[in-house]
Amino acid sequence: MPNPDLSILLVSDGHLVSSAFGSSLQRAGYQDIRQANDAVLALEQIDQRAASVVVCVGEAGLKLAEKVRQRDEMNDHYTYMLLISSETPLSLLDDTSDNDIDDLIAPEDIERLLLTRVLAADRQCSTLQRLRQENRLLRQNIASLEQRNLVDSLTGLGNSRYLRQKLTDSLRQVQARGGAICYLLIGVQQASELQREYGNDFYDELLQGVARRLQQLVRPLDVLARLDDQHFVLMTMPPDLRDCAPSSFKRLYDGLNLKPFMTNVGPVELKAGISLVGLDSKCLPLDQQTLFDEAAQLLAQSYADGVVSAKRLPARD
């Protein structure tokens, strides 16, 4: 059955598409029918309210279709373009012709075919509208899941959101019960060079290898996360701040730098840096970004010196 709310716009100077055809469509059940005498008026009407089906004529109709498609792209809409032209269908509807129309009617076939072609456009518009709505809902659901996602899809480690949540919990625990936090920022020094030389697939494989080795080197209750393509974070909670020392993590540093990673291009020796920031309840309250910034500054020193660079945050007055 025709959708009475289907928005139809007839665009013509009156020679080929007249009010008689509008009346014919109304008798078929279509109620939302507008008319425009030229492309300028048609675009003004479309800007005021989008149309589902536009019936246009000849070369001017082809130019109008191009402008309508531009508006469709901007407004996440699709307009079914039905062209009346004496050109052959192969020349206008072929995939290589780069035209923006969906269907074609010869002028001598208007009276015989216009209604049936609009009915076909009606069905397609209904399907497209449903698919677009489902696509919008799917995108919204994906965005919602990403907002709640705590897992890095490449490595299976925690992501930056997971890290922030765990850090918040750890800071509360230290403030309430004592103890300390060791925050380690682990960086791949030659990340850009490796990615540029061997490509993204290789580098993804390397990151997965780094993640697996880190999991082997840390304790089960430690917090391990991947921040981005160059950085991982390890967070531990020793009972005393004195345990936040470079010597406590020498095994981790050596495990990344002294043993090659096997990849599809062969063994790769990693140049990794580790910065260590230690804190306890005397340093609180603490803004998380302060901790992140301190670790990032220390990482450059680790790259330069080839050791675990460490710092204990000062007690607050």
Side-chain angles (χ1 to χ4, degrees), residues 134-173:
E134 291 175 354
N135 184 260
R136 279 193 291 269
L137 291 174
L138 182 59
R139 292 200 304 266
Q140 292 171 4
N141 289 336
I142 291 173
S144 177
L145 289 172
E146 288 178 346
Q147 289 177 356
R148 298 193 300 267
N149 179 37
L150 300 177
V151 179
D152 174 56
S153 59
L154 178 64
T155 63
L157 301 180
N159 58 19
S160 59
R161 187 177 296 107
Y162 169 82
L163 173 65
R164 287 182 178 273
Q165 287 189 10
K166 287 295 185 179
L167 180 56
T168 298
D169 294 340
S170 299
L171 290 171
R172 288 173 180 167
Q173 181 175 332

mmCIF file of all heavy atoms in Angstrom, residues 134-173:
data_model
loop_
_atom_site.group_PDB
_atom_site.id
_atom_site.type_symbol
_atom_site.label_atom_id
_atom_site.label_comp_id
_atom_site.label_asym_id
_atom_site.label_seq_id
_atom_site.Cartn_x
_atom_site.Cartn_y
_atom_site.Cartn_z
ATOM 1 N N GLU A 134 17.931 1.760 11.843
ATOM 2 C CA GLU A 134 18.646 0.677 12.513
ATOM 3 C C GLU A 134 20.139 0.982 12.596
ATOM 4 O O GLU A 134 20.782 0.670 13.597
ATOM 5 C CB GLU A 134 18.418 -0.636 11.770
ATOM 6 C CG GLU A 134 16.985 -1.156 11.887
ATOM 7 C CD GLU A 134 16.747 -2.398 11.045
ATOM 8 O OE1 GLU A 134 17.667 -2.780 10.284
ATOM 9 O OE2 GLU A 134 15.642 -2.987 11.155
ATOM 10 N N ASN A 135 20.679 1.589 11.546
ATOM 11 C CA ASN A 135 22.093 1.942 11.547
ATOM 12 C C ASN A 135 22.399 2.997 12.603
ATOM 13 O O ASN A 135 23.416 2.922 13.301
ATOM 14 C CB ASN A 135 22.496 2.432 10.158
ATOM 15 C CG ASN A 135 23.975 2.732 10.050
ATOM 16 O OD1 ASN A 135 24.390 3.893 10.125
ATOM 17 N ND2 ASN A 135 24.774 1.696 9.862
ATOM 18 N N ARG A 136 21.504 3.995 12.729
ATOM 19 C CA ARG A 136 21.704 5.024 13.763
ATOM 20 C C ARG A 136 21.662 4.410 15.154
ATOM 21 O O ARG A 136 22.478 4.740 16.025
ATOM 22 C CB ARG A 136 20.641 6.116 13.630
ATOM 23 C CG ARG A 136 20.936 7.144 12.550
ATOM 24 C CD ARG A 136 20.029 8.346 12.688
ATOM 25 N NE ARG A 136 18.645 8.017 12.361
ATOM 26 C CZ ARG A 136 18.132 8.134 11.152
ATOM 27 N NH1 ARG A 136 18.890 8.549 10.145
ATOM 28 N NH2 ARG A 136 16.862 7.832 10.926
ATOM 29 N N LEU A 137 20.704 3.506 15.370
ATOM 30 C CA LEU A 137 20.612 2.843 16.676
ATOM 31 C C LEU A 137 21.851 1.998 16.943
ATOM 32 O O LEU A 137 22.347 1.953 18.079
ATOM 33 C CB LEU A 137 19.352 1.974 16.725
ATOM 34 C CG LEU A 137 18.016 2.719 16.753
ATOM 35 C CD1 LEU A 137 16.856 1.729 16.644
ATOM 36 C CD2 LEU A 137 17.880 3.562 18.019
ATOM 37 N N LEU A 138 22.347 1.334 15.896
ATOM 38 C CA LEU A 138 23.549 0.520 16.051
ATOM 39 C C LEU A 138 24.740 1.391 16.416
ATOM 40 O O LEU A 138 25.537 1.033 17.307
ATOM 41 C CB LEU A 138 23.823 -0.254 14.763
ATOM 42 C CG LEU A 138 25.034 -1.192 14.772
ATOM 43 C CD1 LEU A 138 24.888 -2.247 15.856
ATOM 44 C CD2 LEU A 138 25.220 -1.848 13.408
ATOM 45 N N ARG A 139 24.891 2.533 15.735
ATOM 46 C CA ARG A 139 26.000 3.434 16.060
ATOM 47 C C ARG A 139 25.891 3.947 17.487
ATOM 48 O O ARG A 139 26.896 4.075 18.201
ATOM 49 C CB ARG A 139 26.039 4.607 15.071
ATOM 50 C CG ARG A 139 26.419 4.220 13.659
ATOM 51 C CD ARG A 139 26.913 5.427 12.875
ATOM 52 N NE ARG A 139 25.944 6.504 12.862
ATOM 53 C CZ ARG A 139 25.048 6.693 11.897
ATOM 54 N NH1 ARG A 139 24.993 5.839 10.890
ATOM 55 N NH2 ARG A 139 24.223 7.714 11.937
ATOM 56 N N GLN A 140 24.661 4.263 17.912
ATOM 57 C CA GLN A 140 24.464 4.719 19.286
ATOM 58 C C GLN A 140 24.830 3.633 20.283
ATOM 59 O O GLN A 140 25.451 3.903 21.319
ATOM 60 C CB GLN A 140 23.015 5.163 19.486
ATOM 61 C CG GLN A 140 22.632 6.424 18.721
ATOM 62 C CD GLN A 140 21.138 6.707 18.770
ATOM 63 O OE1 GLN A 140 20.383 6.009 19.439
ATOM 64 N NE2 GLN A 140 20.723 7.731 18.059
ATOM 65 N N ASN A 141 24.437 2.394 19.976
ATOM 66 C CA ASN A 141 24.762 1.284 20.871
ATOM 67 C C ASN A 141 26.268 1.055 20.939
ATOM 68 O O ASN A 141 26.815 0.787 22.020
ATOM 69 C CB ASN A 141 24.065 0.002 20.411
ATOM 70 C CG ASN A 141 22.569 0.030 20.644
ATOM 71 O OD1 ASN A 141 22.085 0.762 21.504
ATOM 72 N ND2 ASN A 141 21.819 -0.743 19.886
ATOM 73 N N ILE A 142 26.927 1.154 19.779
ATOM 74 C CA ILE A 142 28.384 0.977 19.758
ATOM 75 C C ILE A 142 29.059 2.071 20.578
ATOM 76 O O ILE A 142 29.978 1.805 21.369
ATOM 77 C CB ILE A 142 28.907 0.979 18.310
ATOM 78 C CG1 ILE A 142 28.446 -0.292 17.586
ATOM 79 C CG2 ILE A 142 30.426 1.080 18.273
ATOM 80 C CD1 ILE A 142 28.769 -0.305 16.108
ATOM 81 N N ALA A 143 28.596 3.314 20.398
ATOM 82 C CA ALA A 143 29.175 4.423 21.170
ATOM 83 C C ALA A 143 28.959 4.221 22.665
ATOM 84 O O ALA A 143 29.845 4.481 23.484
ATOM 85 C CB ALA A 143 28.563 5.751 20.720
ATOM 86 N N SER A 144 27.763 3.738 23.018
ATOM 87 C CA SER A 144 27.477 3.483 24.430
ATOM 88 C C SER A 144 28.375 2.392 24.986
ATOM 89 O O SER A 144 28.891 2.498 26.110
ATOM 90 C CB SER A 144 26.009 3.102 24.595
ATOM 91 O OG SER A 144 25.709 2.787 25.943
ATOM 92 N N LEU A 145 28.582 1.318 24.207
ATOM 93 C CA LEU A 145 29.461 0.236 24.648
ATOM 94 C C LEU A 145 30.899 0.712 24.781
ATOM 95 O O LEU A 145 31.607 0.330 25.722
ATOM 96 C CB LEU A 145 29.378 -0.938 23.666
ATOM 97 C CG LEU A 145 28.076 -1.739 23.669
ATOM 98 C CD1 LEU A 145 28.071 -2.740 22.518
ATOM 99 C CD2 LEU A 145 27.892 -2.458 25.001
ATOM 100 N N GLU A 146 31.337 1.551 23.831
ATOM 101 C CA GLU A 146 32.706 2.058 23.896
ATOM 102 C C GLU A 146 32.905 2.935 25.125
ATOM 103 O O GLU A 146 33.981 2.945 25.727
ATOM 104 C CB GLU A 146 33.038 2.846 22.629
ATOM 105 C CG GLU A 146 33.222 1.958 21.399
ATOM 106 C CD GLU A 146 33.508 2.752 20.150
ATOM 107 O OE1 GLU A 146 33.297 3.988 20.178
ATOM 108 O OE2 GLU A 146 33.933 2.145 19.149
ATOM 109 N N GLN A 147 31.864 3.677 25.503
ATOM 110 C CA GLN A 147 31.972 4.520 26.687
ATOM 111 C C GLN A 147 32.133 3.691 27.955
ATOM 112 O O GLN A 147 32.746 4.133 28.922
ATOM 113 C CB GLN A 147 30.742 5.426 26.803
ATOM 114 C CG GLN A 147 30.690 6.524 25.768
ATOM 115 C CD GLN A 147 29.420 7.344 25.865
ATOM 116 O OE1 GLN A 147 28.539 7.050 26.661
ATOM 117 N NE2 GLN A 147 29.332 8.396 25.062
ATOM 118 N N ARG A 148 31.570 2.486 27.946
ATOM 119 C CA ARG A 148 31.661 1.625 29.128
ATOM 120 C C ARG A 148 32.762 0.580 29.013
ATOM 121 O O ARG A 148 33.053 -0.113 29.983
ATOM 122 C CB ARG A 148 30.320 0.911 29.361
ATOM 123 C CG ARG A 148 29.162 1.853 29.637
ATOM 124 C CD ARG A 148 27.960 1.099 30.169
ATOM 125 N NE ARG A 148 27.471 0.094 29.253
ATOM 126 C CZ ARG A 148 26.514 0.297 28.354
ATOM 127 N NH1 ARG A 148 25.955 1.494 28.257
ATOM 128 N NH2 ARG A 148 26.103 -0.681 27.565
ATOM 129 N N ASN A 149 33.362 0.457 27.837
ATOM 130 C CA ASN A 149 34.352 -0.589 27.613
ATOM 131 C C ASN A 149 35.614 -0.329 28.430
ATOM 132 O O ASN A 149 36.112 0.792 28.492
ATOM 133 C CB ASN A 149 34.712 -0.647 26.128
ATOM 134 C CG ASN A 149 35.746 -1.705 25.844
ATOM 135 O OD1 ASN A 149 35.729 -2.770 26.452
ATOM 136 N ND2 ASN A 149 36.654 -1.414 24.935
ATOM 137 N N LEU A 150 36.131 -1.371 29.048
ATOM 138 C CA LEU A 150 37.332 -1.262 29.876
ATOM 139 C C LEU A 150 38.489 -2.093 29.333
ATOM 140 O O LEU A 150 39.547 -2.147 29.959
ATOM 141 C CB LEU A 150 37.020 -1.715 31.310
ATOM 142 C CG LEU A 150 35.928 -0.929 32.048
ATOM 143 C CD1 LEU A 150 35.681 -1.551 33.417
ATOM 144 C CD2 LEU A 150 36.318 0.532 32.193
ATOM 145 N N VAL A 151 38.293 -2.740 28.182
ATOM 146 C CA VAL A 151 39.282 -3.669 27.647
ATOM 147 C C VAL A 151 39.846 -3.154 26.329
ATOM 148 O O VAL A 151 39.104 -2.702 25.458
ATOM 149 C CB VAL A 151 38.661 -5.072 27.443
ATOM 150 C CG1 VAL A 151 39.685 -6.035 26.856
ATOM 151 C CG2 VAL A 151 38.123 -5.615 28.759
ATOM 152 N N ASP A 152 41.157 -3.226 26.196
ATOM 153 C CA ASP A 152 41.811 -2.895 24.939
ATOM 154 C C ASP A 152 41.608 -4.051 23.962
ATOM 155 O O ASP A 152 42.013 -5.187 24.243
ATOM 156 C CB ASP A 152 43.302 -2.653 25.181
ATOM 157 C CG ASP A 152 44.060 -2.459 23.893
ATOM 158 O OD1 ASP A 152 43.680 -1.571 23.118
ATOM 159 O OD2 ASP A 152 45.016 -3.221 23.648
ATOM 160 N N SER A 153 40.978 -3.790 22.829
ATOM 161 C CA SER A 153 40.589 -4.855 21.907
ATOM 162 C C SER A 153 41.788 -5.562 21.280
ATOM 163 O O SER A 153 41.702 -6.735 20.912
ATOM 164 C CB SER A 153 39.685 -4.296 20.801
ATOM 165 O OG SER A 153 40.354 -3.274 20.078
ATOM 166 N N LEU A 154 42.920 -4.885 21.143
ATOM 167 C CA LEU A 154 44.077 -5.488 20.490
ATOM 168 C C LEU A 154 44.808 -6.467 21.411
ATOM 169 O O LEU A 154 45.173 -7.571 21.007
ATOM 170 C CB LEU A 154 45.048 -4.401 20.014
ATOM 171 C CG LEU A 154 46.329 -4.901 19.348
ATOM 172 C CD1 LEU A 154 46.011 -5.636 18.052
ATOM 173 C CD2 LEU A 154 47.290 -3.743 19.085
ATOM 174 N N THR A 155 45.038 -6.085 22.646
ATOM 175 C CA THR A 155 45.886 -6.876 23.546
ATOM 176 C C THR A 155 45.113 -7.630 24.617
ATOM 177 O O THR A 155 45.658 -8.546 25.235
ATOM 178 C CB THR A 155 46.896 -5.953 24.253
ATOM 179 O OG1 THR A 155 46.174 -5.011 25.070
ATOM 180 C CG2 THR A 155 47.737 -5.195 23.240
ATOM 181 N N GLY A 156 43.863 -7.245 24.863
ATOM 182 C CA GLY A 156 43.105 -7.866 25.947
ATOM 183 C C GLY A 156 43.432 -7.302 27.307
ATOM 184 O O GLY A 156 42.850 -7.728 28.320
ATOM 185 N N LEU A 157 44.353 -6.347 27.381
ATOM 186 C CA LEU A 157 44.658 -5.680 28.643
ATOM 187 C C LEU A 157 43.587 -4.638 28.934
ATOM 188 O O LEU A 157 42.693 -4.383 28.127
ATOM 189 C CB LEU A 157 46.025 -5.000 28.571
ATOM 190 C CG LEU A 157 47.238 -5.882 28.262
ATOM 191 C CD1 LEU A 157 48.502 -5.032 28.242
ATOM 192 C CD2 LEU A 157 47.366 -7.008 29.271
ATOM 193 N N GLY A 158 43.689 -3.996 30.095
ATOM 194 C CA GLY A 158 42.814 -2.868 30.367
ATOM 195 C C GLY A 158 43.153 -1.700 29.455
ATOM 196 O O GLY A 158 44.268 -1.597 28.927
ATOM 197 N N ASN A 159 42.175 -0.818 29.247
ATOM 198 C CA ASN A 159 42.433 0.384 28.457
ATOM 199 C C ASN A 159 42.592 1.596 29.389
ATOM 200 O O ASN A 159 42.651 1.449 30.612
ATOM 201 C CB ASN A 159 41.326 0.606 27.423
ATOM 202 C CG ASN A 159 39.952 0.729 28.059
ATOM 203 O OD1 ASN A 159 39.821 0.995 29.259
ATOM 204 N ND2 ASN A 159 38.909 0.542 27.269
ATOM 205 N N SER A 160 42.673 2.777 28.822
ATOM 206 C CA SER A 160 42.897 3.973 29.635
ATOM 207 C C SER A 160 41.743 4.224 30.600
ATOM 208 O O SER A 160 41.958 4.718 31.723
ATOM 209 C CB SER A 160 43.100 5.194 28.728
ATOM 210 O OG SER A 160 41.979 5.398 27.888
ATOM 211 N N ARG A 161 40.521 3.889 30.193
ATOM 212 C CA ARG A 161 39.376 4.063 31.091
ATOM 213 C C ARG A 161 39.497 3.120 32.294
ATOM 214 O O ARG A 161 39.225 3.498 33.432
ATOM 215 C CB ARG A 161 38.077 3.804 30.317
ATOM 216 C CG ARG A 161 36.818 4.128 31.115
ATOM 217 C CD ARG A 161 35.569 3.929 30.268
ATOM 218 N NE ARG A 161 35.540 4.844 29.153
ATOM 219 C CZ ARG A 161 35.767 4.478 27.888
ATOM 220 N NH1 ARG A 161 36.000 3.218 27.598
ATOM 221 N NH2 ARG A 161 35.721 5.360 26.923
ATOM 222 N N TYR A 162 39.892 1.897 32.014
ATOM 223 C CA TYR A 162 40.121 0.920 33.085
ATOM 224 C C TYR A 162 41.193 1.425 34.039
ATOM 225 O O TYR A 162 41.054 1.319 35.270
ATOM 226 C CB TYR A 162 40.542 -0.402 32.447
ATOM 227 C CG TYR A 162 41.076 -1.443 33.395
ATOM 228 C CD1 TYR A 162 40.217 -2.258 34.131
ATOM 229 C CD2 TYR A 162 42.456 -1.638 33.536
ATOM 230 C CE1 TYR A 162 40.718 -3.234 34.990
ATOM 231 C CE2 TYR A 162 42.950 -2.606 34.389
ATOM 232 C CZ TYR A 162 42.084 -3.395 35.114
ATOM 233 O OH TYR A 162 42.576 -4.357 35.962
ATOM 234 N N LEU A 163 42.279 1.967 33.488
ATOM 235 C CA LEU A 163 43.362 2.472 34.325
ATOM 236 C C LEU A 163 42.880 3.582 35.247
ATOM 237 O O LEU A 163 43.191 3.591 36.451
ATOM 238 C CB LEU A 163 44.505 2.972 33.445
ATOM 239 C CG LEU A 163 45.636 3.688 34.181
ATOM 240 C CD1 LEU A 163 46.362 2.729 35.109
ATOM 241 C CD2 LEU A 163 46.604 4.328 33.196
ATOM 242 N N ARG A 164 42.125 4.521 34.706
ATOM 243 C CA ARG A 164 41.644 5.633 35.532
ATOM 244 C C ARG A 164 40.732 5.130 36.653
ATOM 245 O O ARG A 164 40.795 5.631 37.785
ATOM 246 C CB ARG A 164 40.921 6.658 34.659
ATOM 247 C CG ARG A 164 41.860 7.486 33.786
ATOM 248 C CD ARG A 164 41.105 8.521 32.982
ATOM 249 N NE ARG A 164 41.992 9.347 32.190
ATOM 250 C CZ ARG A 164 42.592 10.457 32.622
ATOM 251 N NH1 ARG A 164 42.377 10.864 33.874
ATOM 252 N NH2 ARG A 164 43.379 11.152 31.832
ATOM 253 N N GLN A 165 39.890 4.179 36.350
ATOM 254 C CA GLN A 165 39.016 3.632 37.388
ATOM 255 C C GLN A 165 39.828 2.947 38.479
ATOM 256 O O GLN A 165 39.584 3.146 39.679
ATOM 257 C CB GLN A 165 38.013 2.640 36.772
ATOM 258 C CG GLN A 165 36.917 3.281 35.957
ATOM 259 C CD GLN A 165 35.838 2.272 35.573
ATOM 260 O OE1 GLN A 165 35.804 1.144 36.062
ATOM 261 N NE2 GLN A 165 34.943 2.679 34.678
ATOM 262 N N LYS A 166 40.809 2.136 38.069
ATOM 263 C CA LYS A 166 41.639 1.432 39.045
ATOM 264 C C LYS A 166 42.485 2.403 39.859
ATOM 265 O O LYS A 166 42.705 2.203 41.070
ATOM 266 C CB LYS A 166 42.540 0.424 38.337
ATOM 267 C CG LYS A 166 41.803 -0.807 37.821
ATOM 268 C CD LYS A 166 41.239 -1.610 38.984
ATOM 269 C CE LYS A 166 40.602 -2.888 38.539
ATOM 270 N NZ LYS A 166 40.063 -3.686 39.668
ATOM 271 N N LEU A 167 42.974 3.452 39.213
ATOM 272 C CA LEU A 167 43.777 4.446 39.930
ATOM 273 C C LEU A 167 42.923 5.175 40.957
ATOM 274 O O LEU A 167 43.364 5.426 42.084
ATOM 275 C CB LEU A 167 44.398 5.429 38.942
ATOM 276 C CG LEU A 167 45.267 6.542 39.545
ATOM 277 C CD1 LEU A 167 46.384 5.951 40.402
ATOM 278 C CD2 LEU A 167 45.839 7.423 38.439
ATOM 279 N N THR A 168 41.696 5.520 40.590
ATOM 280 C CA THR A 168 40.789 6.159 41.538
ATOM 281 C C THR A 168 40.560 5.273 42.755
ATOM 282 O O THR A 168 40.628 5.727 43.906
ATOM 283 C CB THR A 168 39.448 6.474 40.854
ATOM 284 O OG1 THR A 168 39.665 7.384 39.771
ATOM 285 C CG2 THR A 168 38.463 7.096 41.841
ATOM 286 N N ASP A 169 40.298 3.984 42.498
ATOM 287 C CA ASP A 169 40.087 3.044 43.603
ATOM 288 C C ASP A 169 41.340 2.915 44.467
ATOM 289 O O ASP A 169 41.256 2.859 45.707
ATOM 290 C CB ASP A 169 39.706 1.667 43.054
ATOM 291 C CG ASP A 169 38.361 1.669 42.349
ATOM 292 O OD1 ASP A 169 37.563 2.601 42.598
ATOM 293 O OD2 ASP A 169 38.107 0.742 41.553
ATOM 294 N N SER A 170 42.510 2.872 43.832
ATOM 295 C CA SER A 170 43.758 2.697 44.580
ATOM 296 C C SER A 170 44.070 3.913 45.433
ATOM 297 O O SER A 170 44.537 3.780 46.580
ATOM 298 C CB SER A 170 44.909 2.428 43.605
ATOM 299 O OG SER A 170 44.673 1.242 42.865
ATOM 300 N N LEU A 171 43.838 5.099 44.909
ATOM 301 C CA LEU A 171 44.068 6.320 45.687
ATOM 302 C C LEU A 171 43.165 6.362 46.914
ATOM 303 O O LEU A 171 43.593 6.759 48.006
ATOM 304 C CB LEU A 171 43.840 7.552 44.804
ATOM 305 C CG LEU A 171 44.884 7.789 43.704
ATOM 306 C CD1 LEU A 171 44.426 8.904 42.769
ATOM 307 C CD2 LEU A 171 46.245 8.134 44.310
ATOM 308 N N ARG A 172 41.920 5.947 46.754
ATOM 309 C CA ARG A 172 41.002 5.896 47.898
ATOM 310 C C ARG A 172 41.486 4.894 48.940
ATOM 311 O O ARG A 172 41.432 5.154 50.145
ATOM 312 C CB ARG A 172 39.603 5.520 47.421
ATOM 313 C CG ARG A 172 38.890 6.616 46.644
ATOM 314 C CD ARG A 172 37.587 6.091 46.075
ATOM 315 N NE ARG A 172 36.876 7.121 45.323
ATOM 316 C CZ ARG A 172 35.847 6.875 44.526
ATOM 317 N NH1 ARG A 172 35.401 5.627 44.377
ATOM 318 N NH2 ARG A 172 35.254 7.864 43.882
ATOM 319 N N GLN A 173 41.965 3.747 48.467
ATOM 320 C CA GLN A 173 42.419 2.718 49.388
ATOM 321 C C GLN A 173 43.647 3.183 50.168
ATOM 322 O O GLN A 173 43.743 2.964 51.386
ATOM 323 C CB GLN A 173 42.748 1.436 48.622
ATOM 324 C CG GLN A 173 43.205 0.292 49.515
ATOM 325 C CD GLN A 173 43.405 -0.985 48.741
ATOM 326 O OE1 GLN A 173 42.766 -1.206 47.725
ATOM 327 N NE2 GLN A 173 44.304 -1.836 49.229
#
